[in-house]
Amino acid sequence: MSKQLPHQLSRRTFFKGMLVLTAGATLAACTGPGGEGPGGTQRDQAEPQGFDADTRPLPIPPLDEGVIVDGVRTFDLTAAPGEAELLAGVSTATWGFNGAHLGPTLRASKSDRCEVTITNNLDEMTTIHWHGMNIPAWADGGPHSPIEPGGQWVPSWQVDQAAATLWYHPHPHGRTALHCYRGLAGMFIIDDDISDALDVPREYGVDDIPVIITDQKFTDDGQLDETDDAVLGLMGDTPLINGQANVSFQASTQRVRLRILNASSMRFHNIALDDDQPFHVIGTDQGLLDEPLEVDSALIGPAERVEILIELEPGKDITLKSAGLESNFGLPDDEYAPDFRFRDTFDLLPILAPAEDTAEAADVPVALDPAASEEPDLNGAPEREFLLNTFEINGQTMDMNRVDFVIDHEGPEIWKVTNENPDWPHNFHIHDSRFKVLGIEGTEVPDVFDSGWKDTVAIPPNATVSLAVEFGYHPDPTVPYMYHCHMLYHEDQGMMGQFVITAPGEQADLKPMTGTQEHHGH
């Protein structure tokens, strides 16, 4: 399929390691005037003695735990344009939530009732999707929930899921990649009793670190280059961590927990350490594993998350990197196949060693969340098939007025998702769900990271993944959920479908939504 599309791609080398930029004044991502972000205090690290002058300290998005009003945890987010120092010493026009670029890290606990007031101060419509959240469709924030310029949207829901690292981002049909690329994204951390009781790093911004990976390309004057490539979309050539290029993290403990979010629109990252040191994965998209998994690397595609523990030695710096895949993710090497940059290797985040007198870390816990090992009961579960090909799913592109199927039961389903393209990668995300990967067929690529409960999975060329899918059961025939490729150029070009969840025997009955409405009674 892709051979019919333009394939004369630029062969310049993307990501030649971390950029060596002129050191400048630190401008933290997500800040308002005076260095503080609404809803939380900006937690920039102080520059330590001996800090490499060519890097800036990693900015930590402000932590916003909301305000409790009548028993409800309330948050306020405002999407607005701004200017940020993505590159040191250069002011770039951006978008952000409660600041110039990216947004605060929202935090809530299982069983909390949450309400978010979102104000759109942009000059165009946007939406806000709670990626990975078990949530009613009317509050999910998909393309049917527009927030017009100057308007507000006030979703509310009960948190009913295990501890996990989730995120929020726009979802306007056909414009999602651009809105994310300009900077509209943030983490949403869910805690529960099990995560609170674990002996793992938990001090936000100190030893429990958000790592939001994006990539941008810039014009000669340092502005965002928003030119879509015919195959790669807005894939960039400059890596940003938490909204800045060329940053490093000064560790103060011998164990660090990194909550890594691949918020890139098109690029996959094979997470590794530069000295080939193994690390422990303790969580994936939908929460903690049952026990730590020791690995040398972990591949995460766009929208996937992974929580890892890194062991540090005083006096020994290490670097978090994106290691190229020898397999090229199963993509062919012929002159006609697009290069999706799977073999690129580059540094992401230097981690500077803690002081010599830093206390040693305790042993890594043997068990994390025992419930994570439980398997869905698939006896009698309905099965569905999805064929991904270029920009289509099952031969169709997205239609906002078409409901592709109805789920009118509470139990799990088995979804088989096939990437029919021999020379394109895809991945697959399902709203209001978590799933376990039952198996992968049709490929010998060893790189798909499929441990634990997930909501997004990478799919090599010609491969079929079988998923055991559980949904949050919030019957509402009027508002659909999405399923789509989360390579955002593919999504925006039409690789998306929609379904509704209803009471048994009920049919879909889509109703238009407005950006200012609150819960409409479902």
Side-chain angles (χ1 to χ4, degrees):
M1 297 298 164
S2 59
K3 292 182 175 62
Q4 298 172 355
L5 297 173
H7 58 262
Q8 298 301 318
L9 304 179
S10 169
R11 297 298 178 181
R12 67 185 185 277
T13 303
F14 285 2
F15 286 88
K16 297 180 179 178
M18 290 295 293
L19 302 176
V20 180
L21 302 171
T22 303
T26 298
L27 179 65
C30 314
T31 57
E36 293 185 358
T41 302
Q42 180 65 38
R43 302 268 317 257
D44 274 348
Q45 304 165 76
E47 184 170 312
Q49 186 175 3
F51 200 90
D52 184 350
D54 286 332
T55 64
R56 296 179 286 174
L58 175 72
I60 304 297
L63 180 64
D64 186 354
E65 297 182 290
V67 176
I68 305 299
V69 179
D70 296 330
V72 178
R73 190 175 297 275
T74 63
F75 302 91
D76 287 278
L77 292 174
T78 298
E83 292 188 352
E85 255 187 89
L86 310 184
L87 306 175
V90 179
S91 181
T92 302
T94 56
W95 286 357
F97 292 111
N98 297 0
H101 190 248
L102 299 183
T105 296
L106 308 185
R107 191 163 203 161
S109 294
K110 185 176 181 179
S111 300
D112 280 352
R113 183 75 184 177
C114 292
E115 180 179 279
V116 189
T117 299
I118 303 124
T119 302
N120 181 7
N121 284 345
L122 304 169
D123 60 2
E124 66 175 274
M125 180 273 287
T126 192
T127 79
I128 303 302
H129 167 54
W130 314 105
H131 185 117
M133 196 74 73
N134 176 341
I135 194 167
W138 82 270
D140 182 58
H144 289 270
S145 301
I147 314 172
E148 299 297 339
Q152 287 188 330
W153 182 52
V154 189
S156 61
W157 68 95
Q158 188 93 24
V159 177
D160 185 21
Q161 61 194 101
T165 300
L166 312 180
W167 65 303
Y168 58 97
H169 64 81
H171 214 306
H173 183 36
R175 302 278 286 178
T176 296
L178 182 61
H179 286 208
C180 292
Y181 182 77
R182 289 175 174 173
L184 293 182
M187 273 192 183
F188 199 135
I189 296 173
I190 302 296
D191 300 309
D192 64 12
D193 291 343
I194 293 173
S195 67
D196 289 345
L198 286 176
D199 186 13
V200 294
R202 65 179 67 255
E203 189 173 354
Y204 181 84
V206 177
D207 59 6
D208 185 352
I209 310 301
V211 177
I212 302 174
I213 306 172
T214 57
D215 52 80
Q216 266 69 31
K217 47 188 178 178
F218 293 91
T219 60
D220 291 342
D221 61 354
Q223 300 308 301
L224 292 177
D225 181 348
E226 298 181 352
T227 305
D228 266 332
D229 181 276
V231 173
L232 299 180
L234 289 171
M235 183 182 286
D237 54 14
T238 304
L240 306 184
I241 306 297
N242 293 350
Q244 292 187 2
N246 201 39
V247 295
S248 57
F249 175 71
Q250 175 63 61
S252 59
T253 58
Q254 290 197 24
R255 175 175 297 144
V256 174
R257 175 188 195 169
L258 302 182
R259 298 178 185 260
I260 302 174
L261 159 63
N262 182 0
S264 301
S265 66
M266 291 289 286
R267 183 178 286 275
F268 289 67
H269 295 281
N270 189 33
I271 300 299
L273 298 175
D274 65 339
D275 59 358
D276 296 323
Q277 173 182 323
F279 53 89
H280 286 99
V281 175
I282 62 170
T284 51
D285 299 345
Q286 282 289 306
L288 296 167
L289 303 182
D290 59 334
E291 59 186 28
L293 178 63
E294 185 173 273
V295 299
D296 297 320
S297 64
L299 179 70
I300 54 173
E304 289 183 90
R305 288 88 67 208
V306 64
E307 294 186 38
I308 68 174
L309 300 181
I310 295 178
E311 310 302 321
L312 304 171
E313 298 178 22
K316 182 181 178 183
D317 301 341
I318 63 173
T319 298
L320 186 76
K321 69 178 183 180
S322 187
L325 294 180
E326 291 184 9
S327 71
N328 199 33
F329 203 57
L331 299 171
D333 288 321
D334 63 68
E335 61 181 308
Y336 301 104
D339 185 357
F340 284 90
R341 315 307 303 181
F342 278 96
R343 288 194 170 129
D344 288 354
T345 297
F346 49 89
D347 294 341
L348 289 172
L349 180 65
I351 301 174
L352 308 185
E356 292 290 342
D357 59 354
T358 305
E360 292 187 11
D363 291 340
V364 174
V366 174
L368 297 170
D369 183 359
S373 65
E374 297 175 2
E375 299 293 334
D377 181 2
L378 299 177
N379 184 34
E383 295 190 16
R384 303 186 192 275
E385 183 177 61
F386 302 85
L387 306 178
L388 312 185
N389 198 315
T390 312
F391 301 134
E392 297 179 340
I393 300 178
N394 292 342
Q396 296 179 310
T397 55
M398 172 65 177
D399 182 341
M400 292 273 285
N401 297 312
R402 184 189 70 238
V403 173
D404 293 281
F405 55 88
V406 173
I407 295 175
D408 66 351
H409 61 91
E410 291 195 54
E413 297 192 349
I414 299 172
W415 287 23
K416 294 187 176 181
V417 188
T418 299
N419 177 1
E420 291 191 319
N421 291 116
D423 54 0
W424 279 27
H426 291 296
N427 69 357
F428 198 71
H429 169 55
I430 311 171
H431 289 210
D432 188 50
S433 81
R434 65 175 191 168
F435 55 73
K436 284 198 170 181
V437 179
L438 300 175
I440 304 176
E441 300 175 339
T443 181
E444 297 181 358
V445 172
D447 305 300
V448 176
F449 191 76
D450 58 2
S451 298
W453 285 101
K454 297 180 59 59
D455 55 49
T456 309
V457 63
I459 312 177
N462 298 316
T464 297
V465 295
S466 295
L467 311 175
V469 189
E470 291 186 348
F471 301 92
Y473 190 63
H474 310 282
D476 182 352
T478 69
V479 184
Y481 295 105
M482 305 296 119
Y483 57 92
H484 56 88
C485 181
H486 218 291
M487 298 176 73
L488 294 181
Y489 183 65
H490 296 179
E491 174 191 327
D492 284 343
Q493 295 298 312
M495 188 170 260
M496 181 162 61
Q498 53 189 11
F499 64 97
V500 295
I501 294 178
T502 71
E506 194 174 16
Q507 298 301 308
D509 183 21
L510 296 189
K511 302 292 186 184
M513 296 181 67
T514 65
T516 55
Q517 74 186 89
E518 298 186 30
H519 194 297
H520 50 67
H522 298 292

